[in-house]
Amino acid sequence: LSARSPQPFCEAMASLRQRFLDSPVRPLAGLLLLGGTACVVRSVVKRAARQKKTGKAVVLGLGYCGGAVARQLALGGLEVLGTTRGQPNAEDARAGVRTLVMDGSSETASAELLQAIREASVVVATAPPGEAGDPFLTDAALAEALAAAGSSGALLIYLSSVGVYGDQQGHLVTEATPPAPRTARAKRRLSAEEAWRALPAKRLAIVRLPGIYGAFRGPVAKASEGNARIVKEGHLFSRIHVDDIVLLCQVLVDPHGAPGLFDAGPAAVINCCDSDPAPQHEVSAFAYELLGRPVPPAIPFDSAELSAMQKSFYEESRHMVNSKLIEIVGELNYPSYHTGLPASLEEERRLSRPGVLQRLLAPAALLASAGGRIISACAGEKPVRIALVDNGSLKAEATLSLRRLAADLEASLRSQGRNFRVEGGCGPLPG
């Protein structure tokens, strides 16, 4: 139990403890309680989630990070509405998150979404900016609704990137470090931050994130696919476990969670990074060791075959300082990748149990089914070549990567007696 434990949860545990202490046969009572505690607690938490909501939140972008934040806010007692460009996530629905499908344009910014934003006490924006700017502020109706929410006192949380600091040559970086973006991607991020600052908001938290990892995403996911280890001497990467992003958002949403954060002005910047910046090749080696696989030899950066986007990450080095974050949250769940990666692997294994894995691999199964229909339609014609093309996402989730989808599709087709080779990647297609 902690100070942030839900009240119904605390009451349930106190009741269980008293029942145990009052029992005339404590050993037997202890066994019974141990066996039933998990069921009782789950029931209490679910009942608490069904109780009257204490406020409204809107999460703009239910991706890997946004979905995790939305689910926790819903379980914490808020009425949560989220947006997505894809299909609604069943896990979000089970947590009580309502989902609207939209793409950030006025054509799909429904009246329901605009009204929800105006009434929200919390708005979290997770989507990266495009060439036209922030996908939510470039639309007049959405921008107006966000301005109305901010001016009414709603907490606005914008998830940005530490890339806005540019290359600091390994020097210490705090929230006071002037931004110096080098890449077009980072410059768009800084412009988006400035656009959010321009809103008449009374409370705006700009959360700058490094590489995000967790179950099925990050170093363990990449190691499971056999990714190369790139070495660049003196280079540092920062990272953060998705659970600690959720933790920060929980504290920010709590009316008593971050006292004094906005005393200096309506906008506050927070570097949300763990306490252990490290060279990527060391983190990668640790991930291979966790999986029980041989650690592949390191490849020097200068001779590595990398895309322009991959190279841009290695061309910038920063030693992120998270003292402000620690002051706000107290303690991270995973202050280092040495604790965060094992937890991620354990979560992957838990989710990979029968019944759960099928849900996670549903996109691959659908793709394989579609591939079978395409090939059946082309029967008797020339051999079919299937190309899976990355749409530009930087996400590294193993279950949704091109390599995994290609392997699943190829296996499915071969199981049907069709000997096809499927290629997927983010570089130029061969031939």
Side-chain angles (χ1 to χ4, degrees):
L1 297 179
S2 72
R4 298 193 183 98
S5 298
Q7 184 64 26
F9 179 87
C10 296
E11 292 174 356
M13 295 305 295
S15 174
L16 285 171
R17 178 179 180 276
Q18 192 58 48
R19 285 163 57 192
F20 172 73
L21 293 175
D22 292 343
S23 173
V25 189
R26 288 189 184 180
L28 178 60
L31 290 174
L32 292 174
L33 287 176
L34 285 173
T37 296
C39 295
V40 173
V41 170
R42 280 197 299 269
S43 175
V44 169
V45 172
K46 288 181 179 179
R47 185 168 67 250
R50 291 193 297 267
Q51 291 175 352
K52 185 177 180 180
K53 300 298 183 178
T54 58
K56 296 182 179 180
V58 174
V59 178
L60 300 172
L62 291 175
Y64 185 82
C65 181
V69 171
R71 290 190 292 272
Q72 190 57 49
L73 293 181
L75 293 174
L78 291 175
E79 180 181 334
V80 181
L81 176 69
T83 68
T84 181
R85 294 187 179 188
Q87 293 299 313
N89 187 323
E91 189 177 0
D92 295 339
R94 285 192 293 272
V97 178
R98 292 190 301 118
T99 302
L100 286 179
V101 178
M102 53 92 70
D103 62 9
S105 69
S106 58
E107 296 179 356
T108 54
S110 67
E112 180 182 5
L113 174 60
L114 298 177
Q115 186 63 25
I117 291 174
R118 293 189 186 97
E119 297 176 352
S121 56
V122 180
V123 178
V124 183
T126 72
E131 293 185 1
D134 185 277
F136 306 109
L137 297 181
T138 52
D139 174 79
L142 282 170
E144 182 182 351
L146 288 166
S151 62
S152 298
L155 171 65
L156 306 184
I157 302 176
Y158 176 63
L159 301 187
S160 184
S161 166
V162 297
V164 299
Y165 293 113
D167 180 23
Q168 297 292 327
Q169 300 180 355
H171 295 154
L172 297 179
V173 176
T174 71
E175 288 79 1
T177 302
R182 296 174 63 250
T183 67
R185 184 176 63 256
K187 291 176 181 177
R188 289 195 295 268
R189 274 290 189 186
L190 186 58
S191 296
E193 287 188 9
E194 293 170 350
W196 281 89
R197 286 178 184 270
L199 294 175
K202 296 180 179 179
R203 296 183 300 155
L204 168 64
I206 298 175
V207 179
R208 291 174 177 164
L209 301 171
I212 303 170
Y213 74 98
F216 300 109
R217 175 169 176 167
V220 171
K222 292 177 182 178
S224 69
E225 294 185 326
N227 280 23
R229 294 173 59 238
I230 311 299
V231 176
K232 186 177 182 181
E233 293 301 327
H235 187 269
L236 290 176
F237 268 121
S238 290
R239 56 199 56 79
I240 190 71
H241 194 287
V242 64
D243 287 356
D244 285 316
I245 303 174
V246 173
L247 171 63
L248 173 60
C249 290
Q250 283 181 281
V251 176
L252 292 176
V253 169
D254 184 340
H256 308 291
L261 181 61
F262 301 103
D263 286 352
V269 174
I270 306 165
N271 293 333
C272 187
C273 310
D274 70 15
S275 305
D276 191 12
Q280 187 67 9
H281 68 275
E282 293 182 3
V283 180
S284 178
F286 183 63
Y288 274 99
E289 292 168 358
L290 284 175
L291 292 171
R293 297 185 178 186
V295 178
I299 301 174
F301 170 74
D302 293 336
S303 59
E305 296 182 1
L306 301 172
S307 67
M309 183 172 290
Q310 289 172 321
K311 287 181 179 178
S312 70
F313 289 110
Y314 284 92
E315 290 171 349
E316 299 181 353
S317 180
R318 297 173 289 268
H319 188 136
M320 301 302 303
V321 177
N322 68 353
S323 54
K324 184 174 182 178
L325 171 68
I326 300 303
E327 182 181 349
I328 294 172
V329 303
E331 183 180 357
L332 296 174
N333 294 303
Y334 307 106
S336 168
Y337 67 90
H338 284 104
T339 54
L341 292 188
S344 299
L345 181 58
E346 180 62 29
E347 180 70 0
E348 289 182 16
R349 289 171 174 167
R350 183 186 71 81
L351 293 173
S352 296
R353 294 170 186 165
V356 178
L357 183 62
Q358 284 72 8
R359 292 197 297 271
L360 290 172
L361 295 180
L366 291 173
L367 180 60
S369 175
R373 291 195 298 271
I374 292 173
I375 292 171
S376 297
C378 297
E381 300 180 6
K382 294 181 179 181
V384 175
R385 181 180 184 184
I386 301 173
L388 306 181
V389 182
D390 192 341
N391 68 355
S393 172
L394 293 177
K395 304 296 188 296
E397 295 92 328
T399 54
L400 299 180
S401 70
L402 291 182
R403 276 188 288 263
R404 179 65 61 85
L405 290 174
D408 289 344
L409 176 55
E410 188 172 313
S412 176
L413 296 175
R414 288 189 176 182
S415 69
Q416 301 172 33
R418 301 181 173 98
N419 188 18
F420 285 87
R421 174 142 183 93
V422 184
E423 295 177 347
C426 59
L429 290 173

